[in-house]
Amino acid sequence: MNRLAMATRFVMHNMPLGASHVAPLVGADEAYDVSAYMVSKPRPEKSNLEADFPARWNKPVDAAFPPYLLGASPDQHKYGPFAPLAERQKQLADKIRGDAAARSAAGR
């Protein structure tokens, strides 16, 4: 629940008691506000975070822990907006795939 996008989805579809994905009882804005509040609270520091995503280009854009690959601030990774980060991540992934394809073709 330390990622805002996932927490927002969970809150919207599971809270309050009786809500479901078919019949949410809170709107997206309310779920975002509750989730942002939860994410803003101090959490225990997990060690060895740099090993969590060895393929940095594949790290979720709302993962608010370093290292940050996309050049955005920690607050943007934590609270958004996420669309520009997702676009930069897609461009980076495409570049990495293109570079890998070029290396593969050169090695033939």
Side-chain angles (χ1 to χ4, degrees), residues 5 23 28 56 64 70 89 108:
R56 299 276 184 248
L70 303 173
Q89 185 179 42
R108 289 183 184 169

Side-chain angles (χ1 to χ4, degrees), residues 3-106:
R3 292 181 32 221
L4 186 59
M6 296 301 284
T8 299
R9 288 185 205 119
F10 180 85
V11 168
M12 185 170 173
H13 299 296
N14 293 288
M15 293 182 174
L17 188 61
S20 71
H21 70 283
V22 179
L25 298 177
V26 296
D29 289 341
E30 294 169 311
Y32 179 90
D33 291 344
V34 169
S35 300
Y37 175 77
M38 289 182 347
V39 169
S40 73
K41 295 300 174 187
R43 300 180 63 89
E45 291 286 326
K46 183 179 174 188
S47 63
N48 209 17
L49 285 175
E50 62 278 354
D52 269 4
F53 291 95
R56 299 276 184 248
W57 60 269
N58 201 21
K59 181 180 169 186
V61 295
D62 63 337
F65 52 84
Y68 304 107
L69 184 64
L70 303 173
S73 71
D75 279 347
Q76 184 175 0
H77 279 278
K78 192 170 196 174
Y79 301 112
F82 299 119
L85 293 176
E87 180 58 34
R88 276 191 256 157
Q89 185 179 42
K90 182 183 179 310
Q91 290 169 354
L92 181 61
D94 291 344
K95 180 184 180 307
I96 290 170
R97 287 186 194 108
D99 291 349
R103 282 193 306 273
S104 176

